[in-house]
Amino acid sequence: MKACVYPGSFDPVTNGHLDIIKRASRMFDKVIVAVVYNPNKTATFTLEERVELMKEVVKDIENVEVACFQGLLIDYMRAKNVQVIIKGLRAISDFENEFQMALMNRKLDNNIETVFMMTSERYSYLSSSAVKEVGSLGGCIKDLVPDVILHRVMDKLANKGD
Ligand code: PNS
């Protein structure tokens, strides 16, 4: 079975992430969306919220499962016995950082490949940070995050300061 892991913070999941998940789900038998828990980085949405939102977003895509991990991605890949990491690329500006991470992961385990997928151009400007900034300042985030989670994301961002 061809499986891949799509790792990320997903703080929160955007339509750009969903676009990559859909593309990957057509290429692989199984896609594991792995939400990272990084105790050294403060996320706006808790790990539980990020996982829950992601589950809601992918619930109709049969071959996608949602999990979380802490520590090295490579260790998680080995534990799951999966050899392919999926990463989304939006623009050249993503490339440098992603290239560095891919080479570091390859250095840690030469059997694991990173596969880059281009996001649809209509999401090329979209990031979780931009969603959070726009949403917390009262701007409209419809079309930026999947409709099924729009109100939950809006509520959370509106009450961020509480
Ligand atoms: O959505 P993000 O924040 O760009 O995702 C980054 C992520 C989670 C893929 C990356 O931070 C990661 O792989 N973290 C796990 C720690 C690790 O393995 N680091 C070594 C790779 S440089």
Side-chain angles (χ1 to χ4, degrees):
M1 181 167 69
K2 257 192 323 162
C4 67
V5 167
Y6 178 40
S9 304
F10 306 115
D11 184 36
V13 50
T14 67
N15 276 332
H17 296 131
L18 179 57
D19 177 56
I20 295 293
I21 293 168
K22 284 181 177 164
R23 287 171 197 281
S25 74
R26 293 195 286 265
M27 287 178 63
F28 291 85
D29 299 315
K30 181 165 137 183
V31 180
I32 302 172
V33 179
V35 182
V36 71
Y37 173 63
N38 181 351
N40 301 316
K41 206 171 137 186
T42 317
T44 301
F45 293 79
T46 66
L47 177 68
E48 291 71 24
E49 288 171 330
R50 288 180 283 139
V51 168
E52 255 180 55
L53 291 173
M54 185 59 87
K55 281 186 175 164
E56 182 64 28
V57 164
V58 301
K59 67 176 191 288
D60 294 329
I61 317 177
E62 229 175 55
N63 57 339
V64 177
E65 69 177 52
V66 182
C68 54
F69 76 104
Q70 183 175 356
L72 281 180
L73 175 60
I74 287 297
D75 288 337
Y76 179 73
M77 304 288 298
R78 286 183 183 138
K80 287 279 171 186
N81 196 24
V82 176
Q83 283 76 41
V84 179
I85 300 170
I86 291 289
K87 286 299 194 83
L89 279 184
R90 289 164 301 190
I92 301 288
S93 52
D94 280 342
F95 185 75
E96 200 172 322
N97 187 33
E98 291 296 345
F99 188 59
Q100 197 178 22
M101 274 199 270
L103 291 182
M104 178 59 82
N105 284 329
R106 180 184 288 167
K107 164 91 181 106
L108 294 172
D109 190 330
N110 198 29
N111 294 316
I112 290 176
E113 284 298 333
T114 302
V115 173
F116 291 106
M117 302 189 79
M118 299 296 295
T119 188
S120 164
E121 60 278 10
R122 70 197 160 115
Y123 301 127
S124 58
Y125 64 94
L126 187 52
S127 67
S128 297
S129 319
V131 167
K132 286 187 282 189
E133 178 153 337
V134 171
S136 60
L137 294 172
C140 177
I141 57 167
K142 183 166 162 43
D143 299 332
L144 307 186
V145 300
D147 283 343
V148 283
I149 60 164
L150 177 64
H151 290 289
R152 283 186 63 185
V153 173
M154 279 170 56
D155 288 350
K156 173 84 180 187
L157 295 177
N159 298 316
K160 206 158 66 106
D162 295 358

